[in-house]
Amino acid sequence: MLFNSYIFILCFLPVTVIGYFLINKVINKNNGEGKVTADLWWLFLASVVFYGYANVLCLVLLMFSIAINYYISVKINLWKEQYKVKGAKLWLMGGISFNIILLGYFKYSDFFISNLNQLFQREYTVKSLILPLGISFFTFKQIAYLADCYGKKEKVYYRWIEYCAYVMFFPQLISGPIGLHDELIPQLRDA
């Protein structure tokens, strides 16, 4: 779904905004209990619909990437708490490697195979992969989060839904900018 498409402007955006304000109105009526969770779940579900609209398989890839990166961030924080910085560094390097391999596979595998075919006069089949929308944005956003988990002195930890809403926030998902977690998540909490 593109930002300038009729389905986004006339359907998706109004439903998302109205739903968000209705959730706020109902929850604020109940003394604000569960506000942050309900808001984030609504934004997360809207982002799932937004991203999955074009291709559900790309959504599966994105959710897989989010799950792996969240797990790695938890492990980095756990190793840092136990003062085993080398273990945290290994988790960081593994996380960065995972993200770069994922990005490289989807973005550059066709390029490398076709160049190897030309270089060695071979005819390896080039299987055209569907390039997931915004793969660079969500990959580098998650790498930045892992680097912050490792590099900051204080513990960088968010709940699963906060992390999902941060990575999949639909206004930034396919066109950037690569927002930092310490800027976006507090705004999502306070909204």
Side-chain angles (χ1 to χ4, degrees):
M1 185 178 319
L2 298 175
F3 294 127
N4 62 352
S5 66
Y6 289 120
I7 190 136
F8 177 80
I9 295 169
L10 299 176
C11 294
F12 178 79
L13 190 60
V15 167
T16 303
V17 171
I18 290 168
Y20 183 82
F21 284 110
L22 285 175
I23 286 172
N24 275 330
K25 186 174 182 178
V26 168
I27 302 246
N28 286 338
K29 222 178 200 183
N30 297 329
N31 299 324
E33 294 175 17
K35 177 191 178 303
V36 171
T37 304
D39 288 354
L40 292 176
W41 274 105
W42 178 254
L43 288 175
F44 170 69
L45 292 174
S47 297
V48 166
V49 169
F50 177 80
Y51 195 75
Y53 180 79
N55 190 334
V56 176
L57 291 177
C58 292
L59 177 64
V60 171
L61 172 72
L62 175 58
M63 293 306 297
F64 173 73
S65 174
I66 287 172
I68 296 296
N69 279 289
Y70 185 76
Y71 177 77
I72 291 170
S73 72
V74 169
K75 287 296 187 180
I76 289 172
N77 283 317
L78 184 69
W79 279 88
K80 273 179 54 179
E81 279 183 80
Q82 298 174 354
Y83 304 107
K84 297 177 183 172
V85 178
K86 287 184 180 180
K89 192 173 196 172
L90 287 174
W91 278 104
L92 173 66
M93 291 185 333
I96 291 172
S97 299
F98 166 77
N99 284 298
I100 296 299
I101 289 169
L102 193 69
L103 180 66
Y105 176 73
F106 281 97
K107 208 159 186 184
Y108 301 111
S109 61
D110 290 346
F111 170 76
F112 285 123
I113 291 172
S114 63
N115 280 322
L116 288 174
N117 282 340
Q118 284 184 346
L119 184 64
F120 297 113
Q121 281 85 37
R122 299 284 185 215
E123 291 299 322
Y124 296 114
T125 57
V126 179
K127 184 178 180 181
S128 294
L129 296 172
I130 296 173
L131 182 64
L133 287 173
I135 190 169
S136 297
F137 290 112
F138 69 76
T139 300
F140 288 121
K141 186 184 268 194
Q142 292 184 98
I143 289 174
Y145 178 73
L146 293 177
D148 279 352
C149 285
Y150 176 76
K152 291 195 175 187
K153 289 185 180 184
E154 68 276 355
K155 186 176 178 181
V156 178
Y157 176 76
Y158 299 108
R159 294 178 296 152
W160 167 254
I161 189 62
E162 291 172 327
Y163 182 72
C164 287
Y166 157 68
V167 173
M168 291 189 67
F169 189 52
F170 73 89
Q172 295 180 342
L173 184 59
I174 62 170
S175 62
I178 299 172
L180 299 176
H181 63 91
D182 52 358
E183 294 173 356
L184 184 61
I185 292 178
Q187 290 179 34
L188 293 175
R189 285 177 178 166
D190 294 339

